[in-house]
């Protein structure tokens, strides 16, 4: 937490944003958020990776067998969510907090839930410390969602789901969208589900490209 953000880090982020643009991320606000959020501060204090690898377009371990998502994936899902300022966004899988910080930088009010107590206990104060006051963290099972703060304009799942989590759809506002990696760990398709009316949904396959995610698992880990 005592690490700092330097001009070198800022320069590396600029390069990363250019790389992501070249890979097809077109939304300027998303690229700007990638340039703004200090990803190296989300790796965990004891990580040996953060200085050298934070601004490579790769996923990295953050403890508890979990990873900080690849920047391309974070940018891709953020773009797919079509965030409007003040949108209420539910994130399943807080992990390092990096995706939540990117969404907050896009102007969203973020509600993020994590099933690993240790990650929750590390990331909640980190986000507060870094000044992300519009992110609210919860410890719990994302399959249940966070009904107490529903309805959400957007829902993002940041772990691979083999089947649609049924309890999340009712927590989506009408006109709201949910973006999720559908499939298994090594081969996910990105889906976007739009709630057209109560009980009525449309589905788009955004990318047949295979994404890699850790699996979404049931229950909490203490
Ligand atoms: N958004 C994170 C990605 C972390 S990887 C980031 O930017 O770093 C996915 C995360 O989802 C992991 O931390 C994992 O513990 C969490 N997860 C998996 N299943 C979950 C569930 N049912 N509820 C909440 N979190 C879950």
């Amino acid at each position: 937490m005592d690490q700092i953000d330097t001009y070198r880090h800022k320069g590396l982020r600029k390069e990363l944003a250019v790389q992501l643009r070249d890979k097809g991320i077109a939304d300027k606000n998303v690229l700007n958020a990638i340039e703004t959020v200090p990803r190296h501060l989300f790796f965990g204090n004891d990580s040996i990776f953060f200085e050298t690898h934070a601004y490579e377009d790769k996923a990295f371990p953050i403890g508890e067998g979990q990873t900080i998502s690849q920047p391309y994936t974070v940018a891709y899902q953020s773009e797919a969510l079509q965030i409007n300022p003040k949108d209420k966004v539910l994130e399943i899988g807080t992990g390092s907090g990096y995706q939540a910080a990117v969404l907050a930088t896009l102007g969203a009010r973020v509600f993020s839930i994590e099933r690993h107590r240790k990650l929750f206990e590390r990331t909640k104060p980190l986000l507060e410390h870094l000044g992300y006051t519009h992110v609210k963290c919860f410890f719990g099972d994302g399959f249940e969602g966070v009904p107490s703060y529903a309805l959400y304009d957007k829902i993002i799942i940041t772990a691979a789901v083999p089947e649609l989590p049924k309890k999340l759809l009712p927590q989506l506002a009408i006109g709201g969208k949910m973006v999720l990696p559908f499939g298994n760990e090594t081969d996910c398709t990105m889906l976007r589900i739009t709630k057209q009316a109560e009980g009525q949904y449309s589905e788009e396959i955004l990318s047949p490209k295979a994404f890699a995610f850790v699996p979404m698992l049931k229950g909490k880990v203490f």
Side-chain angles (χ1 to χ4, degrees):
M1 266 199 216
D2 300 324
Q3 295 136 8
I4 51 163
D5 193 27
T6 64
Y7 280 109
R8 191 177 77 85
H9 294 122
K10 290 189 177 92
L12 291 169
R13 281 207 290 284
K14 219 179 186 62
E15 283 171 26
L16 175 62
V18 170
Q19 263 186 57
L20 299 185
R21 193 195 62 202
D22 292 347
K23 287 183 183 175
I25 304 298
D27 186 326
K28 292 219 165 47
N29 294 330
V30 170
L31 292 170
N32 183 49
I34 296 286
E35 247 189 86
T36 307
V37 179
R39 187 171 186 253
H40 65 286
L41 301 182
F42 290 85
F43 275 58
N45 256 350
D46 50 354
S47 173
I48 54 166
F49 296 112
F50 76 95
E51 272 299 328
T52 39
H53 297 300
Y55 295 110
E56 289 173 15
D57 188 19
K58 288 183 186 155
F60 276 101
I62 53 168
E64 313 311 311
Q66 303 306 319
T67 56
I68 180 169
S69 300
Q70 187 183 345
Y72 175 74
T73 305
V74 171
Y76 189 96
Q77 286 196 291
S78 302
E79 183 171 63
L81 280 173
Q82 301 170 334
I83 299 290
N84 298 310
K86 306 256 167 66
D87 266 359
K88 272 176 79 179
V89 181
L90 174 64
E91 179 192 28
I92 311 298
T94 314
S96 68
Y98 176 65
Q99 171 77 74
V102 167
L103 293 171
T105 303
L106 287 168
R109 292 172 289 157
V110 185
F111 300 80
S112 186
I113 182 164
E114 171 58 54
R115 72 187 284 270
H116 269 282
R117 179 140 212 140
K118 278 200 184 130
L119 286 179
F120 164 77
E121 282 175 353
R122 182 171 98 199
T123 301
K124 182 179 154 55
L126 175 69
L127 285 164
E128 284 165 7
H129 175 78
L130 294 175
Y132 295 100
T133 49
H134 294 297
V135 181
K136 216 170 160 47
C137 292
F138 302 87
F139 169 56
D141 180 356
F143 278 100
E144 303 295 323
V146 183
S148 50
Y149 285 90
L151 300 167
Y152 302 99
D153 301 300
K154 309 284 160 64
I155 299 179
I156 173 174
I157 305 183
T158 70
V161 279
E163 62 188 273
L164 217 61
K166 297 266 178 314
K167 291 185 180 172
L168 298 184
L169 292 173
Q171 297 179 34
L172 200 56
I174 290 172
K177 293 175 195 298
M178 172 155 91
V179 171
L180 66 148
F182 193 70
N184 61 42
E185 279 178 75
T186 51
D187 189 13
C188 299
T189 302
M190 203 63 80
L191 294 187
R192 181 166 58 203
I193 293 171
T194 304
K195 187 167 183 170
Q196 307 288 5
E198 214 47 69
Q200 204 182 312
Y201 301 92
S202 64
E203 188 180 299
E204 297 162 87
I205 297 171
L206 295 181
S207 171
K209 185 180 178 307
F211 284 91
F213 279 89
V214 298
M216 183 162 165
L217 300 171
K218 294 214 162 92
K220 296 186 259 190
V221 183
F222 288 90

